[in-house]
């Protein structure tokens, strides 16, 4: 059975819920903008049509809140709702995995993933970038301008790392074709 991916699964974070002022609230969950209605009553939370228990533990600075997974009764910071099952459960109960953990053992795919993450951070598009090696493919594009929110030194560092990763990708590709 193919495992689902955490980054693309709709989730709800306990931080979004435990500090609600109203007893009934509607908010958007991540990573997709899904409207979820939440009703909070003491230690029980109704998310949609499902009741979930909110538990707390004492820490040095007060309390930390957790969801109690309805399936395994374990504590978790986030609950997920997968497309195959319409229940809010923890990551382990839904058998979800992270993208990065699926890339181990395949250096080429890992480098591609790292390039895509850097390009996303640097907000690379075809309009604001140029091809590093002359090929007009998106995976090798390097930004011309820094994003508005980023400091120049951080931009320069990330751009250098991106250029090195693209060169590493070409090196891996050249090694794989073996002339």
């Amino acid at each position: 059975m193919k495992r689902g991916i955490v980054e693309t699964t709709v989730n709800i974070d306990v931080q979004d819920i435990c500090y609600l002022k109203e007893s009934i609230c509607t908010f958007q969950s991540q990573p997709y903008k899904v409207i979820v209605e939440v009703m909070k009553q003491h230690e029980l939370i109704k998310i949609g049509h499902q009741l979930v228990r909110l538990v707390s533990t004492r820490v040095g600075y007060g309390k930390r809140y957790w969801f109690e997974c309805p399936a395994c009764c374990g504590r978790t910071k986030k609950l997920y709702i997968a497309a195959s099952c319409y229940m809010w459960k923890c990551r382990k109960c839904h058998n979800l995995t992270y993208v990065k953990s699926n890339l181990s053992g395949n250096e080429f795919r890992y480098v591609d993933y790292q390039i895509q993450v850097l390009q996303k951070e640097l907000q690379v598009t075809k309009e604001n970038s140029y091809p590093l090696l002359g090929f007009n493919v998106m995976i090798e594009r390097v930004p011309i301008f820094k994003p508005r929110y980023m400091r120049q030194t951080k931009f320069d560092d990330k751009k250098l790392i991106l250029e090195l990763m693209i060169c590493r990708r070409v090196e891996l590709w050249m090694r794989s074709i073996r002339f």
Side-chain angles (χ1 to χ4, degrees):
M1 184 171 122
K2 188 175 178 190
R3 296 179 77 175
I5 296 178
V6 170
E7 289 87 353
T8 60
T9 306
V10 175
N11 66 68
I12 189 168
D13 195 317
V14 73
Q15 298 294 2
D16 298 335
I17 301 298
C18 64
Y19 299 111
L20 289 177
K21 301 292 183 217
E22 300 90 28
S23 61
I24 298 178
C25 182
T26 305
F27 76 99
Q28 296 180 342
S29 76
Q30 298 294 329
Y32 305 106
K33 301 301 181 199
V34 177
I35 307 271
V36 179
E37 186 175 280
V38 176
M39 188 171 77
K40 184 178 173 186
Q41 295 176 342
H42 305 291
E43 293 182 357
L44 283 178
I45 297 172
K46 187 175 180 185
I47 307 171
H49 298 291
Q50 184 179 355
L51 282 175
V52 177
R53 192 164 169 242
L54 188 68
V55 294
S56 64
T57 54
R58 285 207 170 277
V59 290
Y61 52 85
K63 283 185 177 180
R64 177 164 181 173
Y65 292 95
W66 307 87
F67 288 123
E68 184 178 275
C69 175
C72 68
C73 296
R75 291 184 308 193
T76 183
K77 184 178 185 266
K78 290 186 177 186
L79 289 176
Y80 300 89
I81 188 162
S84 60
C85 175
Y86 297 106
M87 280 187 62
W88 292 94
K89 298 180 190 176
C90 67
R91 181 181 63 85
K92 291 179 183 175
C93 291
H94 271 304
N95 198 21
L96 299 174
T97 184
Y98 293 98
V99 170
K100 208 168 183 178
S101 65
N102 290 340
L103 302 175
S104 61
N106 188 338
E107 193 174 2
F108 196 73
R109 281 180 43 201
Y110 179 73
V111 169
D112 277 354
Y113 174 73
Q114 292 292 85
I115 290 171
Q116 289 170 357
V117 167
L118 282 167
Q119 285 177 333
K120 187 175 181 181
E121 285 178 27
L122 295 170
Q123 299 176 355
V124 174
T125 63
K126 283 197 177 214
E127 293 78 32
N128 72 356
S129 62
Y130 64 94
L132 182 66
L133 302 171
F135 301 107
N136 198 14
V137 290
M138 193 61 197
I139 198 78
E140 69 155 48
R141 297 192 75 83
V142 178
I144 297 170
F145 308 109
K146 74 173 187 66
R148 176 176 275 156
Y149 65 89
M150 192 178 286
R151 293 179 185 255
Q152 187 67 45
T153 54
K154 186 168 186 153
F155 172 73
D156 293 339
D157 291 346
K158 288 194 178 281
K159 184 177 174 183
L160 178 65
I161 293 169
L162 178 61
E163 290 170 351
L164 292 172
M165 294 298 280
I166 291 171
C167 291
R168 176 74 180 137
R169 182 181 188 277
V170 171
E171 177 189 330
L172 289 170
W173 179 75
M174 293 295 284
R175 201 179 315 147
S176 71
I177 60 171
R178 300 177 211 244
F179 287 105

